[in-house]
Amino acid sequence: MSSETPASVDGERTALLSSQHPPTHDADADVDDIASAELSPNGTDGWDPEHGVVGGTFSRNLGALEAFAIVISIVIGSGVFTSPGSIDTNVPSPGAALIVWLIGGVLAWSGAMTMAELGTAIPGEGGVQPYLKYIFGDAFGFLAAWTWIVAVMPATLAILSIVFVESIYSAAGVTGEGDRLVHKILSILILSVIGVTNSISTKASTGLNNFFVVVKFVTIAAVVGTGIAVIILHSSAPDRDVGGGDWFKKSWFAFRDSINPDGSITDWTRLSQWEMFGHYSAALYAALWAYSGWDKAIYISAELSTPGVQLPLAINTALPTIIVCFITANAAYYILLPWNVVSTSDSVAVTAFSTLLGPGFGILAAVFICLVVAGSLLGNSFVAGRMAVAAANMEWFPEVFSIVGRIGIKRTADDDTAAPAENGLGAPKASKSDAPINSIILSTALSALYILFGNFRALLTFNGLGEFTFFFLTVVGAIVLRFREPDLARPYKPTILIPIIFSLVSGFVVVRGAAFAPTQAVILLGLWALGLAFYWARNAYQRRSGVVSS
């Protein structure tokens, strides 16, 4: 892998386009034209406007339903059950909180649509890394891969593992145990179980993921259904004391004093416009955390049989579904609980069911929340392994992480032997497992370190800074590409206002996060410096060895 000058980058880009994008393809082709395209008959690596890269590390045996399920499984996690309190305490009314949930969802959707544009226009595995490599050059692609593999995904898995164990503790009435060694060991144990599960096979992972999706919908439906039941009971007997009561006694949009977790009270009528802005931005930050994972469909685009059709379809059905689930669930919380309780609770669903139906139902709610978080863990671990494989295939990471289907140090002849897949494309592995086991071990080990040496809130901010920095760069890159290469084949092309709006918001999130969490920002900068040092050292070694990067 050699370092690249701007001229060499442009030359590589031109070669990539000429070899992978047929010049006769119409950039504005509609879905029907895309769906009728034929795969390259030779089954070798190449680019097809409908299918993307033909061949590759994984077989193309996933469809829109699996992509939809993976997005649902990752996004509907702990956020909808833990973020409501953080949002409510930073807004002056329940109505404003629901608006923040809507805005956060629309922003996540706009980012996902931009990613879908890039995912159907630029070939490659590994999510944003091939896009940044294509747009800005090899170093940017590497730094994105490095950040996701050593920072963003391990921090995400660590956070979810911690939340899983905290949900169990909360159901037992124990709080404030997150920093104890026993809590951390249990979190690592859960993380390891998920890693082993994802090491079986892609089919096993997606099958189990579909089960977790059903659990998530059942849990959301239970919350919303209970809220509707309270409305019906109140309508039939207005004097009956059921639910929180504030939902029909008070205005949903009138200012009311907010009780903060530390017991202080926010009087919204006394705040300046700048102070109000600070609170609203904090609320939006919490909402964006709850929606995190919206980008994950692009990480399996190389495994979709027809990504030009299936990727936009999965995103444009999953995100609206998630937005509706989040808004209706939060509306139900305000019906089930007194409003001053919502702002002070870190587990509103458990609190709601315990208050309304008793501690037994609170424990049942905690069990379902644990299953919901387990589904998010499974989906994120599934994606994390594929990121390392993509980076290794680009020679950014050691070759050991490109091995699929077994644990090993060196590639063998069997690793390069393609076996026929069900869809007729070359599937690289003849072994029973097609899971990236080495890469899963790497992500699990790094996540365990984050669990041991980090805590929930610090990891949350660190994770947000890392991923939104590259979301910002990627979406800005999509805008740049609109003007630099207007004729690039884009099977899916949303209006340019969508990436512009998202780039402004993501840039704001990065600046605000760095200003309020300078320690995490410095650590992230240190990781970037370490990554670039590794990148340049590897380039120098490969130049001396006569190795040329693909």
Side-chain angles (χ1 to χ4, degrees):
M1 180 170 51
S2 59
S3 59
E4 297 177 331
T5 63
S8 66
V9 170
D10 289 339
E12 178 186 280
R13 184 176 297 116
T14 302
L16 184 66
L17 276 175
S18 62
S19 64
Q20 296 177 329
H21 292 280
T24 58
H25 179 69
D26 184 1
D28 297 319
D30 60 22
V31 170
D32 291 335
D33 293 335
I34 297 166
S36 64
E38 294 291 336
L39 269 174
S40 175
N42 58 15
T44 59
D45 289 347
W47 173 255
D48 180 271
E50 176 188 3
H51 298 80
V53 179
V54 180
T57 305
F58 302 98
S59 60
R60 293 183 170 275
N61 55 5
L62 301 182
L65 183 60
E66 285 81 8
F68 170 89
I70 286 171
V71 175
I72 292 288
S73 182
I74 291 176
V75 177
I76 301 182
S78 62
V80 69
F81 305 110
T82 59
S83 291
S86 300
I87 293 175
D88 183 77
T89 196
N90 281 295
V91 294
S93 68
L98 296 181
I99 291 174
V100 168
W101 279 103
L102 175 61
I103 293 172
V106 171
L107 289 173
W109 192 2
S110 67
M113 284 192 286
T114 304
M115 295 296 180
E117 173 187 343
L118 294 173
T120 57
I122 299 173
E125 300 171 329
V128 300
Q129 56 198 48
Y131 314 152
L132 289 171
K133 173 182 168 65
Y134 181 90
I135 299 168
F136 297 120
D138 193 75
F140 281 87
F142 165 81
L143 203 55
W146 173 269
T147 303
W148 248 260
I149 293 168
V150 305
V152 171
M153 291 310 299
T156 298
L157 293 171
I159 290 167
L160 291 170
S161 301
I162 291 169
V163 170
F164 184 98
V165 176
E166 283 185 350
S167 298
I168 298 174
Y169 273 65
S170 297
V174 179
T175 58
E177 299 288 315
D179 291 331
R180 293 192 61 184
L181 182 60
V182 172
H183 189 292
K184 292 177 180 290
I185 291 174
L186 289 174
S187 299
I188 293 173
L189 178 61
I190 294 299
L191 176 69
S192 302
V193 170
I194 293 296
V196 170
T197 302
N198 266 327
S199 298
I200 299 172
S201 69
T202 297
K203 184 176 181 180
S205 296
T206 53
L208 185 57
N209 185 72
N210 292 338
F211 162 75
F212 282 124
V213 168
V214 173
V215 171
K216 290 170 188 283
F217 282 135
V218 168
T219 305
I220 296 290
V223 172
V224 175
T226 306
I228 293 172
V230 167
I231 294 175
I232 294 173
L233 289 173
H234 174 75
S235 300
S236 61
D239 295 332
R240 180 179 295 176
D241 184 15
V242 59
D246 289 339
W247 66 274
F248 66 87
K249 296 175 184 177
K250 301 177 181 179
S251 170
W252 282 63
F253 288 93
F255 279 21
R256 91 288 194 231
D257 292 345
S258 297
I259 302 176
N260 300 311
D262 61 2
S264 62
I265 296 177
T266 301
D267 183 351
W268 294 94
T269 61
R270 295 179 178 272
L271 297 185
S272 66
Q273 290 296 321
W274 179 250
E275 289 173 320
M276 291 276 286
F277 176 76
H279 280 284
Y280 274 114
S281 64
L284 182 60
Y285 201 85
L288 289 174
W289 152 248
Y291 283 104
S292 63
W294 50 262
D295 60 304
K296 294 303 186 291
I298 62 172
Y299 291 91
I300 60 163
S301 60
E303 297 176 61
L304 297 174
S305 56
T306 55
V309 176
Q310 293 166 332
L311 184 60
L313 178 61
I315 286 172
N316 289 323
T317 52
L319 267 298
T321 301
I322 292 165
I323 292 170
V324 171
C325 287
F326 281 14
I327 292 176
T328 54
N330 278 273
Y333 296 145
Y334 286 112
I335 293 170
L336 298 174
L337 290 170
W339 290 352
N340 63 348
V341 173
V342 176
S343 62
T344 58
S345 175
D346 287 331
S347 186
V348 289
V350 174
T351 303
F353 279 96
S354 298
T355 302
L356 187 66
L357 301 173
F361 281 91
I363 293 174
L364 182 63
V367 170
F368 272 89
I369 291 172
C370 284
L371 290 174
V372 168
V373 175
S376 293
L377 262 171
L378 184 78
N380 276 286
S381 176
F382 181 88
V383 168
R386 280 150 171 78
M387 292 179 183
V389 170
N393 285 338
M394 293 299 299
E395 298 182 359
W396 288 334
F397 268 59
E399 185 183 58
V400 63
F401 299 115
S402 68
I403 297 173
V404 173
R406 63 181 178 86
I407 298 175
I409 299 176
K410 293 184 178 181
R411 294 182 65 89
T412 65
D414 290 339
D415 293 319
D416 300 317
T417 303
E422 293 179 2
N423 58 6
L425 298 177
K429 304 292 170 281
S431 61
K432 293 181 180 179
S433 174
D434 60 350
I437 301 175
N438 285 349
S439 295
I440 290 172
I441 292 173
L442 173 67
S443 67
T444 302
L446 290 173
S447 301
L449 291 176
Y450 279 92
I451 292 171
L452 287 173
F453 297 104
N455 62 72
F456 176 81
R457 292 187 180 275
L459 289 172
L460 192 64
T461 304
F462 179 73
N463 175 80
L465 279 173
E467 66 178 359
F468 268 92
T469 298
F470 286 94
F471 288 160
F472 171 75
L473 289 174
T474 304
V475 175
V476 167
I479 298 171
V480 169
L481 212 57
R482 289 284 187 101
F483 295 95
R484 193 177 73 193
E485 300 181 36
D487 296 327
L488 176 67
R490 294 176 174 86
Y492 180 72
K493 186 179 179 181
T495 173
I496 197 171
L497 286 176
I498 288 176
I500 289 174
I501 291 172
F502 186 82
S503 64
L504 293 174
V505 173
S506 57
F508 163 76
V509 167
V510 171
V511 172
R512 181 192 180 278
F516 282 86
T519 301
Q520 287 92 321
V522 169
I523 293 173
L524 190 62
L525 288 172
L527 281 175
W528 288 342
L530 182 63
L532 288 175
F534 174 80
Y535 173 75
W536 287 322
R538 190 168 177 79
N539 279 353
Y541 171 78
Q542 291 191 344
R543 281 196 300 271
R544 288 195 301 269
S545 304
V547 178
V548 179
S549 175
S550 60

